[in-house]
């Protein structure tokens, strides 16, 4: 739906953001990129656009009015204790034929949410219902749940004492989520609870980022670099060693218990054998201890693996390896820039099994260019035949910075309905194989407005995946583009510091990033004991 002129009665950044999310949900095109909300076209610009036939709406005007009413509040973080937000949303529009329409909806917030959070939720909910009602837009599976981690809302509701059925009902009422999605994330959160209970403020995880790949995949927007020559690798390793030793000193000084270690990237196994061995031994010797229940390495793609790397993984006690084909269609592998065969994926998987790696995860992407439902079915049959312990289904996300996004016209992508059918087919295979969903996250611009979901057999859940998604544990990041997320248990907040995404900046300014991380830990935990 194309809109000629747009008006919003607020310039508040968060209000603009939540309105933008709903308009994007229904693919309503504004006269300028939605990132530039708020917006009102000048009379001069309006005069230029005299061809009204190109638009579905000549004008869309959205107004939100908020007041506080007395009510019981339980959130300790609310900005206005004893008050509940009441939001009235009014939508006016002028159709292409010149007719005018107005509609409005009013909602009242919950005492368990912050006043501002409730206000913004109601703006989205009101607008979602009004636009669906007026223009007949189809139901969005996730409703207004736009955030990356929807299960965090479920945990909050469970902590408030709601039962499973009450949580499902609340998600449907307050967020317009479908019954399927509400049930899925509620049951998923309940499955996560025992894992989350196994942490405390002294229990942490370690993330190691190796920012190199052998080639850059078509869809990739991650801050990864094509593997350089030996001099370039050595420059990185100098900074990396310093970074790792600084974190080791912090872990020892604060008496942290390392629950899980995750080596990711990039593709860590893209490192030459000798550098990979040095890196993995450093990680193992610095952080693995009697408290460590999981040691994961992303092997990614078979053309990055070798017998020597597999032997080092065995020697270092790696418990989990990610083997990520993304698809088992040879023509798609070539299209997305993967220089290996489908057979090589299977061979890599069997080598990992023979080596005695306890758990193997496989990542797949739904909605890749040129693929059809039959391709997903073929891929799933091949993957299920291998019997991995964990399968993560990703919906293709069109990210800025990816070659796919920059050259979109050159590729044929499945439409949203086809992507949903593909996802349903893949989930059916996963479910029939006995794997159940245990973690989930969403991203912007995902095909079919779907999600990324990890499914595992009972007992093979990744502790790190649960902790990184639910953000209830401190995770210290080492390496290029790594993030350190520190939980402030007093304020129930997460605070973060970031290593540079740019490799040269990381190598040059490593001392700055080490100091920022140290200062953040001291702010939250105080000075180390030793």
């Amino acid at each position: 739906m194309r809109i000629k002129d747009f008006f919003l009665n607020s310039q508040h950044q968060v209000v603009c953001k939540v309105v933008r999310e709903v308009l994007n949900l229904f693919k309503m095109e504004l006269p300028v990129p939605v990132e530039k909300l708020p917006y009102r076209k000048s009379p001069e610009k309006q005069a230029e656009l005299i061809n009204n036939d190109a638009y579905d709406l000549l004008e869309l005007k959205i107004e939100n009015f908020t007041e506080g009413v007395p009510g019981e509040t339980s959130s300790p973080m609310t900005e206005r204790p004893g008050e509940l937000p009441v939001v009235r949303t009014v939508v006016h529009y002028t159709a292409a034929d010149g007719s005018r329409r107005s509609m409005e909806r009013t909602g009242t917030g919950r005492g368990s949410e912050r006043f501002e959070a409730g206000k913004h939720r109601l703006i989205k909910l009101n607008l979602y219902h009004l636009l669906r009602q007026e223009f007949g837009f189809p139901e969005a599976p996730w409703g207004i749940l736009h955030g990356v981690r929807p299960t965090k809302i479920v945990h909050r509701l469970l902590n408030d004492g709601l039962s499973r059925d009450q949580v499902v009902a609340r998600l449907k009422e307050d967020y317009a989520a479908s019954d399927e999605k509400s049930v899925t994330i509620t049951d998923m959160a309940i499955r996560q609870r025992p894992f989350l209970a196994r942490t405390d403020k002294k229990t942490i995880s370690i993330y190691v980022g190796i920012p190199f790949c052998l080639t850059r995949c078509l869809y990739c927007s991650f801050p990864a670099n094509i593997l350089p020559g030996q001099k370039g690798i050595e420059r990185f390793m100098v900074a990396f060693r310093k970074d790792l030793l600084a974190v080791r000193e912090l872990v020892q000084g604060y008496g942290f218990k390392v629950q899980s270690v995750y080596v990711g990237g990039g593709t860590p196994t893209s490192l030459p054998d000798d550098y990979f061995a040095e890196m993995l031994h450093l990680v193992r010797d610095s952080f693995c201890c009697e408290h460590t229940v999981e040691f994961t390495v992303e092997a990614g793609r078979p053309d990055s693996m070798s017998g020597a790397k597999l032997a080092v993984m065995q020697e270092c006690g790696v418990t989990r390896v990610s083997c990520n084909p993304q698809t088992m269609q040879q023509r798609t592998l070539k299209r997305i820039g993967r220089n290996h065969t489908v057979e090589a994926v299977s061979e890599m998987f069997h080598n990992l099994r023979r080596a005695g790696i306890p758990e193997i995860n496989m990542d797949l992407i739904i909605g890749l260019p040129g693929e059809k439902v039959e391709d997903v079915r073929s891929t799933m049959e091949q993957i299920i035949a291998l019997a991995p312990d964990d399968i993560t289904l990703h919906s293709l996300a069109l990210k800025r910075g990816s070659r796919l996004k920059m050259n979109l016209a050159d590729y044929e992508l499945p439409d949203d309905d086809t992507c949903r059918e593909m996802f349903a087919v893949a989930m059916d295979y996963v479910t029939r194989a006995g794997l159940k969903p245990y973690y989930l996250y969403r991203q912007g611009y995902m095909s079919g407005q779907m999600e990324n979901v990890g499914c595992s057999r009972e007992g093979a859940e990744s502790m790190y995946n649960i902790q990184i998604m639910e953000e209830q544990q401190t995770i210290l990041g080492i390496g290029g583009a790594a993030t350190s997320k520190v939980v402030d248990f007093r304020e129930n907040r997460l605070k973060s510091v970031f290593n540079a995404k740019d490799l040269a900046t990381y190598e040059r300014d490593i001392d700055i990033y080490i100091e920022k991380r140290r200062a953040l830990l001291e702010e939250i935990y105080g000075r180390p004991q030793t």
Side-chain angles (χ1 to χ4, degrees):
M1 177 175 285
R2 297 196 65 208
I3 299 164
K4 181 176 181 180
D5 198 9
F6 179 79
F7 174 76
L8 179 66
N9 73 327
S10 172
Q11 295 189 15
H12 190 281
Q13 184 177 7
V14 178
V15 173
C16 294
K17 176 178 179 291
V18 299
V19 169
R20 181 175 71 233
E21 288 170 1
V22 178
L23 297 179
N24 282 342
L25 192 62
F26 296 129
K27 298 183 178 178
M28 301 180 76
E29 299 178 22
L30 298 184
V32 292
V34 289
E35 291 78 7
K36 295 185 178 180
L37 278 174
Y39 171 79
R40 183 70 193 235
K41 196 185 315 301
S42 67
E44 294 79 12
K45 186 66 176 177
Q46 281 184 322
E48 293 177 20
L49 298 170
I50 58 175
N51 183 11
N52 292 341
D53 294 339
Y55 299 95
D56 300 286
L57 300 182
L58 301 184
E59 183 181 59
L60 177 65
K61 182 178 181 181
I62 299 171
E63 297 177 299
N64 295 291
F65 306 96
T66 304
E67 63 177 339
V69 298
E72 184 177 346
T73 54
S74 57
S75 170
M77 304 296 290
T78 187
E79 300 84 353
R80 294 163 68 170
E83 283 191 58
L84 304 179
V86 175
V87 175
R88 182 169 66 94
T89 300
V90 184
V91 175
H92 312 272
Y93 73 88
T94 303
D97 62 5
S99 61
R100 298 175 180 273
R101 290 265 298 169
S102 295
M103 48 198 166
E104 66 176 74
R105 188 178 191 274
T106 300
T108 304
R110 304 275 185 180
S112 58
E113 57 190 350
R114 294 186 300 106
F115 187 96
E116 288 297 307
K119 180 183 79 173
H120 298 142
R121 178 182 63 79
L122 290 169
I123 290 173
K124 289 180 70 174
L125 188 64
N126 287 346
L127 188 57
Y128 174 86
H129 284 303
L130 288 172
L131 294 177
R132 278 203 67 215
Q133 170 188 317
E134 184 67 19
F135 299 113
F137 292 130
E139 176 187 70
W142 287 100
I144 63 168
L145 281 171
H146 184 82
V148 172
R149 298 170 172 84
T151 43
K152 292 179 72 173
I153 294 173
V154 178
H155 285 295
R156 176 171 59 81
L157 296 174
L158 291 170
N159 291 340
D160 287 343
L162 274 67
S163 68
R164 174 192 179 276
D165 290 347
Q166 287 173 324
V167 171
V168 170
R170 183 69 66 84
L171 292 171
K172 293 161 68 174
E173 181 180 352
D174 286 6
Y175 299 93
S178 69
D179 185 72
E180 177 201 354
K181 300 304 182 188
S182 299
V183 169
T184 294
I185 61 174
T186 300
D187 288 345
M188 185 181 294
I190 291 170
R191 184 180 181 186
Q192 292 173 346
R193 304 284 273 186
F195 295 90
L196 296 173
R198 293 165 59 186
T199 193
D200 56 40
K201 64 182 181 180
K202 285 287 189 176
T203 300
I204 69 166
S205 288
I206 298 291
Y207 173 79
V208 177
I210 306 299
F212 300 122
C213 286
L214 296 181
T215 62
R216 191 171 185 85
C217 294
L218 178 69
Y219 51 77
C220 182
S221 64
F222 289 155
N225 307 267
I226 302 302
L227 185 70
Q230 184 171 353
K231 288 184 178 179
I233 296 172
E234 186 55 42
R235 281 196 300 272
F236 167 75
M237 289 299 293
V238 168
F240 176 80
R241 295 179 192 113
K242 194 170 189 178
D243 201 3
L244 183 143
L245 294 175
V247 172
R248 183 173 74 181
E249 184 177 329
L250 291 170
V251 169
Q252 293 171 347
Y254 283 101
F256 289 139
K257 299 169 289 185
V258 177
Q259 185 181 65
S260 65
V261 177
Y262 192 100
V263 182
T267 306
T269 46
S270 65
L271 286 172
D273 289 352
D274 53 346
Y275 283 108
F276 180 81
E278 179 193 355
M279 179 274 296
L280 208 60
H281 279 107
L282 271 172
V283 171
R284 191 261 325 255
D285 295 344
S286 298
F287 304 116
C288 292
C289 60
E290 68 271 20
H291 304 289
T292 307
V293 300
E294 184 178 278
F295 186 6
T296 301
V297 174
E298 281 190 6
R301 41 196 282 179
D303 52 344
S304 72
M305 276 295 286
S306 67
K309 287 168 186 166
L310 187 53
V312 170
M313 290 184 199
Q314 290 176 285
E315 180 187 346
C316 290
V318 170
T319 64
R320 189 180 191 92
V321 173
S322 289
C323 168
N324 305 330
Q326 316 303 5
T327 179
M328 294 294 270
Q329 306 305 302
Q330 191 62 54
R331 69 182 186 283
T332 309
L333 288 174
K334 182 178 180 180
R335 187 178 294 125
I336 65 177
R338 292 269 184 140
N339 299 325
H340 60 79
T341 64
V342 168
E343 291 75 20
V345 173
S346 298
E347 182 182 357
M348 175 182 172
F349 183 93
H350 291 307
N351 288 340
L352 291 168
R353 277 283 187 245
R354 283 191 289 268
I357 300 296
E359 291 161 359
I360 304 174
N361 169 75
M362 301 188 84
D363 282 13
L364 301 169
I365 298 179
I366 305 298
L368 287 169
E371 290 213 338
K372 303 183 185 306
V373 174
E374 293 74 20
D375 296 312
V376 172
R377 187 171 285 110
S378 169
T379 289
M380 293 309 301
E381 287 175 356
Q382 296 176 69
I383 294 296
I384 295 299
L386 294 172
D389 307 285
D390 187 318
I391 296 175
T392 303
L393 300 176
H394 296 266
S395 296
L396 178 68
L398 299 175
K399 292 298 193 71
R400 285 178 297 176
S402 69
R403 288 190 292 119
L404 177 58
K405 178 69 172 180
M406 291 187 285
N407 301 280
L408 204 52
D410 297 337
Y411 299 93
E412 181 184 354
L413 295 177
D415 61 27
D416 284 357
D417 288 340
T418 302
C419 286
R420 292 189 190 105
E421 185 180 355
M422 289 174 163
F423 204 92
V425 166
M427 279 300 298
D428 182 58
Y429 274 93
V430 167
T431 302
R432 286 192 281 117
L435 307 185
K436 297 180 179 179
Y438 74 96
Y439 84 101
L440 178 151
Y441 66 103
R442 305 191 68 225
Q443 296 171 281
Y445 310 105
M446 297 189 80
S447 298
Q449 299 172 4
M450 299 302 291
E451 64 268 5
N452 302 325
V453 58
C455 306
S456 76
R457 62 173 173 80
E458 200 74 32
E461 301 89 346
S462 166
M463 175 67 80
Y464 179 85
N465 284 342
I466 293 173
Q467 296 291 3
I468 191 70
M469 285 301 121
E470 301 313 316
E471 297 183 327
Q472 297 185 27
Q473 183 184 83
T474 290
I475 297 178
L476 300 182
I478 303 163
T483 300
S484 292
K485 299 182 176 185
V486 181
V487 177
D488 187 334
F489 287 90
R490 295 166 301 181
E491 298 183 8
N492 195 29
R493 291 180 57 197
L494 190 74
K495 299 182 180 180
S496 303
V497 291
F498 309 90
N499 286 354
K501 293 181 179 181
D502 177 70
L503 183 59
T505 304
Y506 170 74
E507 294 165 354
R508 184 193 67 214
D509 296 338
I510 184 60
D511 291 332
I512 295 173
Y513 303 117
I514 288 173
E515 173 57 24
K516 285 183 176 180
R517 182 175 52 220
R518 185 207 63 77
L520 178 59
L521 279 171
E522 186 171 312
E523 174 192 341
I524 304 301
Y525 287 92
R527 291 183 178 274
Q529 300 300 310
T530 58

